[in-house]
Amino acid sequence: MKNIQERINELRKQIERYNYYYYVKNESLISDVEFDKLLKELEELAPVEKVGSSLKDTKFKKVRHSKPMLSLSNSYNISDIKAFMDRVQKSVDKEKELDYVLEVKLDGLSISIIYEDGKLVRGITRGDGEVGEDVTENILAIASIPKYLKENISLEVRGEIVFPLSKFEKLNKERAEKGEEIFANPRNAASGTLRQIDSEIVRERELDAYFYFLVDAEKYDLKTHKQSLEFIESLELKTTGISEILNEEKKIEERIKYWEVEREKLDYETDGLVLKLNELSLWNEVGYTTKSPRWAIAYKFPAKQVTTKLLDITWQVGRTGKVTPVAELEEVELSGSRVKRASLHNYEEILRKDIRVGDRVFIEKAAEIIPQVVKSVKEVRTGEEKEITIPTVCPICGTHLEKENGLVDLKCPNKECPAIIQGTIEYFVSRDGMNISGFGSKIVEKFLELGFIKDVADIYNLKNHREDLEKIDKLGQKSIEKILESIEKSKEREYPKVLYSLGMPHVGKFLAGILSKISKNIDVLSKMSVEELLEVDGIGEKVANSVYQYFKNPDNIERIEKLKHNGVKFSLKEAEVNETIESLPFAGKTFLFTGKLESFTRDEIKEVIEKNGGTNLSGVSKKLDYLIVGEDAGSKLKKAQEIGTIKIVTEKEFLSMIKGK
Ligand code: IVH
């Protein structure tokens, strides 16, 4: 085992590096959550001395802050906040009712500004918290920061420099036109702008600033934080205007939910909320850690959303023939990864959200699922945006599309559509399926193009094409060897995995496990009636019908026969099943959702539940373990509350359950 000192040094180095990138290079190398974990670990092992970067290669003059610029400790759920409030309560008079101020947490860069006798004399970035960079010239070039205060007083005020969202779009557009690199997000743009040597550039870009903290507020005869915000405003320094006095956990929770949605209407990015103890005289009593006040806490919003531009829509044809719109985006960083495509679910959603090509859109990641377009920002439309039209023919094979579910689903009915065949093959060879390695989408495409495979069963005949394979560009002897080996090995794949790989609609990993357990062999399964299937625990009408229909299709029977002939096994070894089912996080748990959901369509949430081993129920009963409630949940919620044993979770909580698996 590593000794503690070594671990401390390692953590310090890592944190130093991440800070350097974050504060100096404007790049996040890890997510906030991961960063906080490292910091916490270090704090437990040794006191942390520094906040922010070490300013090794700054081009500005270094200036020591009159008082350190502290950071805030982060929280991610209401119970963290409750714990924070309990700690604060314990360190002051136990009977005293405490007020808190709830503000938005601006996602920009912090700045400290000093006025002497009413004149702005200095602007300093946070730097490492102790020493920052003197960016006075640039601060003077920000129009919304007054050069002179209304009164001739001296003070130091702290706040955040942000890039207004409405200006951000314009800036990136201009940069792209000039062939310059675009900014990944408004925070980076603000940071990059403020660190310009030429303050003319700062003036042109129209940065903005909001203030939230007055240093030594008590010197100005102020008693509360709220009063100090009002004082700041009275001097015509800009605040967000969002500062709510609250004292109950319930109310705070309610407001968190409110701001999680409402923040999207603001012209600056926010990454959370800040809760501050209102009464200034209590701040010292409650105290400070080396890096943050104990009288304040930040609440970080969950699925981080960022805005980017919708460049185009691609209509993608899946393995079932379903045609779905995919948003092609200007590349952007979202929770630690680069994103340039996002899901739009279906045409109805495009209409409902009124999304147009050219729009600035919010995207977010829901659980571990692909990013999705949340909404468009109509306020920043230029008039150039184009409405999205619904396709009438398959974008791949040109066949007339069929509509299912009213407008909602479009389907390519051509069984020979290359996209459908490709999707089917990719699903078949995927890790959860036959797990054939070396079979990426490019290779599949090539094999299809050359006519080596027309159906999944043909994969097992590839070995007869060895000479042809060797002629394919870029496919070396070794890779061919590997692919063929992996194909041979897949013949031993367990029955549940084989069943899964067939891709019957609505049959994910978990259901494939159940189906294999009850049937033990595919000949039995193929002869089961809908009624017999319905008798199985965990199988509902949708799945029963889907399985039954699958075996009614002669093409499917032919495929199975071919696979069998080629050596694939379709029967069970007992030990295999339990392994498949029980290793999943929701194994044995039942779910139902009610109300309007934000991150999922109805089919998607069902799929997520099943993929994780859970079972969907169709009604509230004692058998139900979890009820997921969306907006406007009605009678089901009431019934579940009456039963009393059912865990009621919000959509957000459900998302964290998946994440926490
Ligand atoms: S108060 C001693 N209030 O978040 C109190 N900070 O993660 C220090 N921030 O360094 C900060 N909005 O740059 C405060 N309403 C707000 C804020 C806010 C954004 C930033 C600030 C701080 C960082 C901590």
Side-chain angles (χ1 to χ4, degrees):
M1 212 180 87
K2 246 186 224 144
N3 86 31
I4 293 182
Q5 195 53 47
E6 269 170 22
R7 180 64 185 151
I8 292 176
N9 292 344
E10 188 179 78
L11 283 168
R12 285 213 172 111
K13 251 198 218 141
Q14 274 178 350
I15 289 171
E16 179 82 7
R17 174 156 174 269
Y18 293 139
N19 269 332
Y20 169 70
Y21 269 87
Y22 189 79
Y23 290 105
V24 180
K25 313 255 282 197
N26 314 322
E27 271 178 53
S28 302
L29 298 189
I30 53 168
S31 72
D32 292 354
V33 180
E34 288 168 298
F35 182 81
D36 287 347
K37 251 199 213 151
L38 293 177
L39 207 57
K40 213 164 163 201
E41 188 185 342
L42 181 57
E43 276 174 333
E44 275 162 18
L45 296 174
V48 181
E49 307 106 11
K50 276 197 214 157
V51 180
S53 87
S54 61
L55 295 175
K56 272 191 207 108
D57 58 353
T58 174
K59 33 191 178 188
F60 295 93
K61 204 172 85 192
K62 290 182 207 166
V63 191
R64 182 163 291 276
H65 290 294
S66 64
K67 293 238 161 112
M69 281 184 86
L70 296 177
S71 181
L72 291 167
S73 55
N74 286 331
S75 65
Y76 297 92
N77 50 55
I78 188 71
S79 47
D80 292 347
I81 290 182
K82 167 110 181 49
F84 156 77
M85 291 167 77
D86 288 345
R87 278 196 304 274
V88 172
Q89 190 77 53
K90 267 201 193 134
S91 54
V92 300
D93 176 359
K94 310 236 164 4
E95 300 303 310
K96 198 174 167 72
E97 187 165 301
L98 301 175
D99 279 341
Y100 291 89
V101 180
L102 186 73
E103 301 169 15
V104 285
K105 187 170 188 299
L106 297 137
D107 193 12
L109 37 139
S110 34
I111 191 81
S112 197
I113 295 185
I114 299 168
Y115 287 91
E116 281 172 11
D117 296 326
K119 181 171 190 263
L120 192 160
V121 294
R122 190 163 273 174
I124 318 169
T125 64
R126 175 157 82 170
D128 65 6
E130 299 281 345
V131 175
E133 297 169 291
D134 184 335
V135 289
T136 313
E137 283 310 307
N138 287 346
I139 291 301
L140 289 169
I142 298 177
S144 71
I145 302 178
K147 320 282 163 297
Y148 292 91
L149 292 177
K150 267 175 69 187
E151 289 172 47
N152 288 342
I153 54 169
S154 301
L155 54 81
E156 181 166 357
V157 67
R158 291 176 177 174
E160 203 88 350
I161 306 282
V162 297
F163 211 109
L165 297 179
S166 48
K167 305 270 162 44
F168 177 70
E169 164 97 352
K170 199 176 113 219
L171 172 71
N172 263 352
K173 194 171 157 199
E174 286 166 5
R175 287 177 73 84
E177 275 165 12
K178 282 192 241 156
E180 293 169 352
E181 205 181 319
I182 59 158
F183 288 112
N185 57 52
R187 201 192 81 84
N188 285 9
S191 172
T193 304
L194 199 67
R195 302 181 81 257
Q196 290 288 326
I197 295 292
D198 181 1
S199 55
E200 257 329 288
I201 299 181
V202 183
R203 197 179 310 280
E204 283 165 18
R205 292 212 189 140
E206 298 177 276
L207 289 176
D208 212 346
Y210 296 89
F211 297 94
Y212 45 68
F213 185 74
L214 182 63
V215 178
D216 289 332
E218 281 172 296
K219 274 209 313 220
Y220 307 89
D221 210 21
L222 302 162
K223 300 273 176 278
T224 64
H225 177 62
K226 179 82 177 174
Q227 281 173 9
S228 69
L229 290 174
E230 283 160 4
F231 180 66
I232 292 172
E233 275 167 18
S234 74
L235 294 168
E236 294 182 349
L237 285 158
K238 204 163 169 179
T239 69
T240 62
I242 301 164
S243 59
E244 309 178 344
I245 299 214
L246 299 162
N247 51 32
E248 276 170 67
E249 186 202 326
K250 266 259 140 336
K251 231 7 254 197
I252 293 174
E253 188 174 10
E254 209 180 288
R255 296 311 285 171
I256 287 177
K257 289 215 173 94
Y258 173 82
W259 282 114
E260 232 160 72
V261 179
E262 222 41 32
R263 66 174 170 139
E264 284 165 26
K265 297 192 181 133
L266 304 171
D267 195 28
Y268 44 81
E269 278 208 300
T270 57
D271 57 350
L273 297 166
V274 185
L275 197 62
K276 297 173 182 167
L277 186 60
N278 194 23
E279 203 173 308
L280 302 178
S281 66
L282 297 177
W283 284 9
N284 272 337
E285 253 180 72
V286 180
Y288 297 82
T289 70
T290 40
K291 72 173 189 97
S292 55
R294 290 188 208 273
W295 44 261
I297 193 163
Y299 166 82
K300 290 291 196 86
F301 292 130
K304 193 171 182 255
Q305 295 185 344
V306 292
T307 71
T308 183
K309 191 173 175 178
L310 176 61
L311 300 175
D312 205 357
I313 295 286
T314 304
W315 292 89
Q316 204 170 55
V317 187
R319 65 181 173 89
T320 57
K322 197 166 148 183
V323 183
T324 46
V326 175
E328 306 287 350
L329 307 165
E330 210 165 72
E331 195 170 278
V332 74
E333 190 172 306
L334 175 63
S335 347
S337 57
R338 308 288 300 177
V339 171
K340 51 182 181 182
R341 306 190 91 197
S343 154
L344 264 166
H345 306 299
N346 54 48
Y347 187 63
E348 192 194 61
E349 179 164 297
I350 293 177
L351 291 182
R352 186 165 49 82
K353 294 186 173 171
D354 182 17
I355 287 170
R356 303 180 189 175
V357 170
D359 267 347
R360 177 143 288 273
V361 289
F362 274 89
I363 57 165
E364 73 172 15
K365 273 187 202 160
E368 84 268 60
I369 310 161
I370 38 168
Q372 49 189 299
V373 176
V374 181
K375 59 170 228 154
S376 62
V377 189
K378 290 157 190 109
E379 290 80 358
V380 296
R381 276 191 179 152
T382 60
E384 303 272 304
E385 296 75 15
K386 288 197 185 64
E387 280 184 35
I388 297 161
T389 46
I390 190 164
T392 50
V393 295
C394 172
I396 306 297
C397 68
T399 308
H400 244 295
L401 295 178
E402 286 172 1
K403 278 182 195 162
E404 282 185 352
N405 267 345
L407 259 187
V408 183
D409 290 334
L410 292 170
K411 208 164 178 178
C412 172
N414 176 14
K415 273 186 263 167
E416 276 153 37
C417 174
I420 297 178
I421 298 175
Q422 170 136 10
T424 310
I425 293 174
E426 283 177 17
Y427 191 83
F428 183 82
V429 302
S430 69
R431 190 170 300 192
D432 288 334
M434 300 304 275
N435 194 21
I436 301 177
S437 49
F439 235 87
S441 58
K442 285 260 148 50
I443 298 271
V444 177
E445 214 176 298
K446 194 83 201 166
F447 287 174
L448 281 170
E449 194 186 297
L450 295 172
F452 293 170
I453 37 180
K454 291 195 177 62
D455 185 78
V456 294
D458 301 333
I459 291 174
Y460 295 91
N461 296 328
L462 274 174
K463 58 177 183 238
N464 308 328
H465 288 283
R466 193 182 266 270
E467 266 166 39
D468 298 319
L469 292 179
E470 280 167 11
K471 284 186 205 134
I472 298 178
D473 247 9
K474 293 191 195 100
L475 200 59
Q477 190 82 25
K478 266 213 174 109
S479 343
I480 296 172
E481 208 62 56
K482 267 199 176 148
I483 294 177
L484 293 179
E485 235 172 69
S486 190
I487 291 173
E488 282 312 297
K489 225 171 104 193
S490 77
K491 291 180 183 170
E492 294 307 316
R493 200 72 171 138
E494 306 89 325
Y495 177 47
K497 307 274 166 66
V498 178
L499 258 192
Y500 168 91
S501 72
L502 293 179
M504 296 180 211
H506 314 297
V507 177
K509 252 196 280 186
F510 180 69
L511 284 175
I514 293 198
L515 290 174
S516 54
K517 193 172 189 173
I518 55 145
S519 66
K520 306 231 171 15
N521 134 12
I522 201 151
D523 299 327
V524 175
L525 186 64
S526 65
K527 293 190 186 82
M528 283 178 80
S529 66
V530 172
E531 289 70 29
E532 281 168 328
L533 285 161
L534 276 173
E535 273 170 29
V536 181
D537 242 6
I539 291 184
E541 219 146 290
K542 202 162 172 178
V543 175
N545 279 316
S546 168
V547 173
Y548 180 77
Q549 287 304 331
Y550 183 87
F551 290 107
K552 281 278 143 305
N553 183 337
D555 292 341
N556 293 333
I557 300 296
E558 192 187 321
R559 174 179 303 133
I560 291 167
E561 286 312 315
K562 262 204 220 158
L563 285 168
K564 272 187 191 166
H565 178 78
N566 287 341
V568 176
K569 309 257 181 329
F570 283 88
S571 56
L572 183 73
K573 291 191 218 106
E574 193 66 50
E576 292 165 0
V577 191
N578 294 334
E579 223 176 276
T580 320
I581 300 173
E582 279 156 19
S583 63
L584 293 166
F586 294 168
K589 296 276 179 273
T590 54
F591 292 81
L592 177 67
F593 55 89
T594 178
K596 256 191 269 156
L597 298 176
E598 279 273 320
S599 320
F600 305 94
T601 62
R602 304 179 83 77
D603 282 344
E604 276 169 355
I605 196 162
K606 283 189 180 164
E607 203 172 314
V608 169
I609 289 168
E610 282 176 11
K611 263 197 184 152
N612 285 289
T615 305
N616 291 293
L617 294 191
S618 55
V620 178
S621 71
K622 281 194 184 139
K623 276 201 221 156
L624 183 63
D625 294 312
Y626 291 94
L627 182 71
I628 306 158
V629 289
E631 223 177 283
D632 300 328
S635 61
K636 282 187 186 144
L637 175 58
K638 225 174 132 201
K639 197 165 165 202
Q641 282 164 335
E642 277 163 18
I643 291 179
T645 54
I646 299 167
K647 292 194 194 68
I648 294 164
V649 295
T650 64
E651 192 179 345
K652 288 250 150 65
E653 285 165 334
F654 174 71
L655 287 173
S656 21
M657 280 167 71
I658 308 170
K659 277 187 200 155
K661 72 181 178 190

